Amino acid sequence: MDTLKQELKQLIISSLDLEDVKVEDIADDEALFGEGLELDSIDALELGIAIKKKYGVAFSAENDDNKKYFKSVDTLAQYITEKRNESK
């Protein structure tokens, strides 16, 4: 899962054009929204699209759990891993 977390950090940086952020600057458990990276709802939408393209894992706009999934790199990695295992 460490590889997935590193890939997610790179995906966050590249898909959101975070020019001043490096992979090593993002802690696995750091909040992505609010105090952490200070991402916003538009960033969440763009990141969700990037995750769908790269990993084939989609997020539903009606799902109230999305906030939980997008909390940190840890929670995103866990969600992606669970969804991939379900589709096997």
Side-chain angles (χ1 to χ4, degrees):
M1 180 151 358
D2 286 338
T3 302
L4 176 57
K5 290 178 186 179
Q6 294 301 313
E7 288 177 1
L8 280 170
K9 291 175 186 181
Q10 186 57 51
L11 186 66
I12 290 167
I13 293 167
S14 62
S15 65
L16 302 179
D17 295 323
L18 303 178
E19 297 172 359
D20 297 334
V21 179
K22 297 179 183 145
V23 169
E24 54 271 9
D25 294 337
I26 304 172
D28 291 350
D29 60 350
E30 178 180 11
L32 298 177
F33 298 87
E35 294 178 16
L37 281 181
E38 300 180 0
L39 303 181
D40 60 26
S41 58
I42 301 297
D43 294 326
L45 180 61
E46 290 179 14
L47 183 55
I49 292 168
I51 289 171
K52 183 177 181 185
K53 284 181 182 177
K54 183 165 179 89
Y55 300 106
V57 173
F59 297 89
S60 170
E62 292 84 37
N63 191 339
D64 292 334
D65 288 335
N66 285 340
K67 267 188 167 178
K68 178 176 74 173
Y69 304 142
F70 279 88
K71 183 177 183 232
S72 67
V73 170
D74 279 336
T75 56
L76 275 174
Q78 182 177 355
Y79 178 74
I80 291 168
T81 300
E82 288 172 7
K83 288 299 179 186
R84 287 168 139 182
N85 288 339
E86 285 176 10
S87 64
K88 287 183 179 178

